[in-house]
Amino acid sequence: MTQSSDIRVAVSTVILTLRRTDDGRARLALPLVLRTREPFAQQWALPGGWLTVAESPVDAAARTLAETTGLAPSYLEQLYAFGAVDRSPTRVVSIVYWALLRQDDVTAQIAAHQASGRAPENVRWFDVDQLPRLAFDHSEIVEYALWRLRNKVGYSRVAQGFLPEEFTLAELREAYESILGRTLDPANFRRQVEAAGNLLPTDRFRTGSHRPARLYRDNTDVELADRGPLGPEETSTR
Amino acid sequence: MTQSSDIRVAVSTVILTLRRTDDGRARLALPLVLRTREPFAQQWALPGGWLTVAESPVDAAARTLAETTGLAPSYLEQLYAFGAVDRSPTRVVSIVYWALLRQDDVTAQIAAHQASGRAPENVRWFDVDQLPRLAFDHSEIVEYALWRLRNKVGYSRVAQGFLPEEFTLAELREAYESILGRTLDPANFRRQVEAAGNLLPTDRFRTGSHRPARLYRDNTDVELADRGPLGPEETSTR
């Protein structure tokens, strides 16, 4: 029986943000890295690399994400371990992590990375509905990540992960609409959000071109449905 | 940098059932295997083994589960990939699967396994609230599986996985109570279940010592919240 040591372990990260495109609509986007080596040279792939003996999978994900994109999300959540026999020319099991980043955090982190002179030329952000065919099974991995994201908004507050600490109901609804890929009725959305009791109104308002809109924040007394007693390796030491 | 090939990949399975104990109450239980080799010789561990080059992780989980316990659940769902650096004397990443089995399926499968003459002597079923200290980080893995189970009953129909195709509301409530570890008000439970619309009443009744109770079945038009487009490796070919 072939030994397990012939199987290598890699990590990859699906890191999603909401970015406003020229038409003014917010769209889900993620960074991809252009591969320079075979297999799949000159094809786009998820940021990632090999797991090394001295680091936990989540630390490897954080390290390879920083090395390739300069991004450092506040947390990484394990998405899935992909291990199909034929997913790579050699036998590779990829432990995939995912994270949500606010667009302003993305901008700040990329700027800091560029200022450090280590800005990667082979990284590009793609709207999730305009992705090229990716290396390995990364297209399927992104599809699965998007399914999980759409699924989670139904029973968790994952959409808030794209928003600043205080946001308007319209901004929250726009995040839901971008994730679900359909428009939501503002009145029904407001009713459902208020019934869920996950938001606390503040006494502050967003002012601008429209009439002032009240700002809300997370009710942190309500636990996220999708967080739990993750193992020690799930706290990145980086 | 140490190569990833120094890291080995194992699979383990947390397979849960509801069994009625002498006091008449249903309790969550799972099978453990007594280790015969170091490390952790003579300690109880989750059923599992090494991933081999020719099989997907879910196939390896199904194979090692059948080899060690004789159990063959209708599906295995990936729980989590555990990869802490210090979880084993050597560097091992364990991809853990879980499944729910009906007690009568467990009984039938164990009987068939024993009839085949391959009945394992080193397998024992434990109530989850009476577990010994397990080998490796398997105690933490079971804790995580139970948290995920308790978490899932809130937004999915995972509790039905313990029940036959047709069941009474009392049997469903008992499953929820066993998972959540607390009693539920029968009237409130009935209201919530009927509001969710996940159950279809049949025209059949459970008769016995109590007054006849209507039998229900899953409304399969309602999709489980926790199933999705799993990768091809997630369909066991066994």
Side-chain angles (χ1 to χ4, degrees):
Chain A
M1 178 158 86
T2 319
Q3 287 310 301
S4 165
S5 57
D6 296 332
I7 304 170
R8 288 182 299 170
V9 182
V11 293
S12 295
T13 303
V14 179
I15 184 158
L16 295 160
T17 192
L18 270 186
R19 67 172 182 183
R20 199 165 301 284
T21 46
D22 301 342
D23 62 8
R25 283 180 45 212
R27 285 201 175 81
L28 286 173
L30 81 171
L32 297 174
V33 179
L34 190 64
R35 290 181 57 82
T36 54
R37 295 193 218 85
E38 295 296 342
F40 298 101
Q42 299 311 309
Q43 289 195 43
W44 294 96
L46 292 167
W50 295 116
L51 174 65
T52 63
V53 165
E55 65 189 343
S56 67
V58 71
D59 285 344
R63 171 183 58 82
T64 55
L65 183 65
E67 287 172 354
T68 52
T69 67
L71 295 170
S74 54
Y75 81 97
L76 288 168
E77 181 182 344
Q78 191 179 115
L79 176 68
Y80 204 80
F82 292 83
V85 172
D86 59 356
R87 62 182 298 272
S88 169
T90 59
R91 187 67 200 276
V92 177
V93 170
S94 285
I95 304 177
V96 179
Y97 288 79
W98 69 332
L100 309 181
L101 269 182
R102 294 165 41 196
Q103 183 58 55
D104 50 359
D105 288 339
V106 172
T107 309
Q109 290 182 14
I110 290 176
H113 195 62
Q114 286 171 335
S116 74
R118 299 183 294 106
E121 315 72 19
N122 59 336
V123 176
R124 190 186 303 169
W125 286 76
F126 292 83
D127 287 351
V128 296
D129 53 7
Q130 293 173 3
L131 292 177
R133 174 68 199 176
L134 306 186
F136 304 107
D137 55 355
H138 290 190
S139 293
E140 289 71 25
I141 291 174
V142 170
E143 274 309 302
Y144 180 66
L146 293 173
W147 174 83
R148 278 277 295 270
L149 179 62
R150 287 190 296 267
N151 184 265
K152 276 189 168 183
V153 294
Y155 60 84
S156 82
R157 296 173 300 168
V158 66
Q160 279 88 313
F162 292 117
L163 300 175
E165 195 169 326
E166 297 189 350
F167 45 84
T168 68
L169 288 185
E171 290 164 346
L172 181 60
R173 177 170 47 83
E174 186 180 40
Y176 273 85
E177 290 175 336
S178 303
I179 293 167
L180 297 171
R182 55 186 171 86
T183 58
L184 301 170
D185 176 73
N188 287 340
F189 182 79
R190 171 184 290 272
R191 268 193 297 276
Q192 289 168 10
V193 164
E194 285 168 348
N198 292 342
L199 295 188
L200 294 176
T202 72
D203 54 8
R204 287 171 294 283
F205 291 80
R206 173 94 69 227
T207 55
S209 51
H210 305 292
R211 65 176 171 83
R214 183 180 294 278
L215 289 164
Y216 291 76
R217 61 179 175 83
D218 261 355
N219 179 357
T220 49
D221 296 343
V222 183
E223 204 192 328
L224 273 168
D226 53 358
R227 303 307 302 274
L230 296 177
E233 78 277 17
E234 285 320 292
T235 305
S236 173
T237 61
R238 307 183 80 84
Chain B
M1 177 159 86
T2 318
Q3 287 309 303
S4 166
S5 58
D6 296 332
I7 304 170
R8 289 182 298 171
V9 182
V11 294
S12 295
T13 303
V14 178
I15 184 157
L16 296 159
T17 192
L18 271 186
R19 68 172 181 183
R20 199 166 302 282
T21 47
D22 302 341
D23 62 7
R25 283 178 46 211
R27 284 200 176 82
L28 286 173
L30 81 170
L32 297 174
V33 179
L34 190 64
R35 289 181 57 83
T36 55
R37 294 193 218 83
E38 295 295 344
F40 297 101
Q42 300 309 309
Q43 289 194 43
W44 295 95
L46 292 167
W50 295 116
L51 174 66
T52 62
V53 165
E55 64 189 343
S56 68
V58 71
D59 285 345
R63 171 184 57 83
T64 55
L65 183 64
E67 289 171 354
T68 52
T69 68
L71 295 170
S74 54
Y75 79 95
L76 288 169
E77 181 182 343
Q78 191 181 115
L79 175 68
Y80 203 81
F82 292 83
V85 172
D86 60 356
R87 61 183 297 273
S88 167
T90 59
R91 186 69 199 276
V92 178
V93 170
S94 284
I95 304 176
V96 179
Y97 288 80
W98 68 333
L100 309 181
L101 269 181
R102 293 166 42 196
Q103 182 58 55
D104 50 359
D105 289 339
V106 172
T107 310
Q109 290 183 14
I110 290 177
H113 196 61
Q114 286 171 337
S116 75
R118 298 183 294 104
E121 316 73 18
N122 59 337
V123 176
R124 190 187 302 169
W125 287 75
F126 292 82
D127 288 350
V128 295
D129 53 7
Q130 292 172 4
L131 292 177
R133 174 68 199 176
L134 306 186
F136 305 107
D137 55 355
H138 290 190
S139 292
E140 289 72 24
I141 291 174
V142 171
E143 274 309 301
Y144 181 66
L146 293 173
W147 175 83
R148 277 278 294 271
L149 180 62
R150 287 190 296 267
N151 184 265
K152 276 188 168 184
V153 293
Y155 60 85
S156 82
R157 296 174 299 167
V158 67
Q160 278 90 312
F162 291 118
L163 299 175
E165 196 168 326
E166 297 189 350
F167 45 83
T168 67
L169 289 185
E171 290 164 347
L172 181 61
R173 176 170 46 85
E174 185 180 40
Y176 272 86
E177 290 176 335
S178 304
I179 293 167
L180 297 171
R182 55 186 172 85
T183 59
L184 300 170
D185 176 72
N188 287 341
F189 183 78
R190 171 184 292 270
R191 267 193 297 276
Q192 289 168 10
V193 165
E194 286 169 349
N198 293 341
L199 295 187
L200 293 176
T202 72
D203 52 9
R204 285 170 293 284
F205 291 80
R206 172 95 69 230
T207 54
S209 53
H210 306 291
R211 65 178 172 81
R214 183 179 294 278
L215 289 165
Y216 291 76
R217 62 178 177 82
D218 259 356
N219 179 358
T220 49
D221 296 344
V222 183
E223 205 191 328
L224 274 168
D226 54 358
R227 303 307 302 274
L230 297 176
E233 79 276 17
E234 285 320 292
T235 306
S236 173
T237 61
R238 306 181 80 86

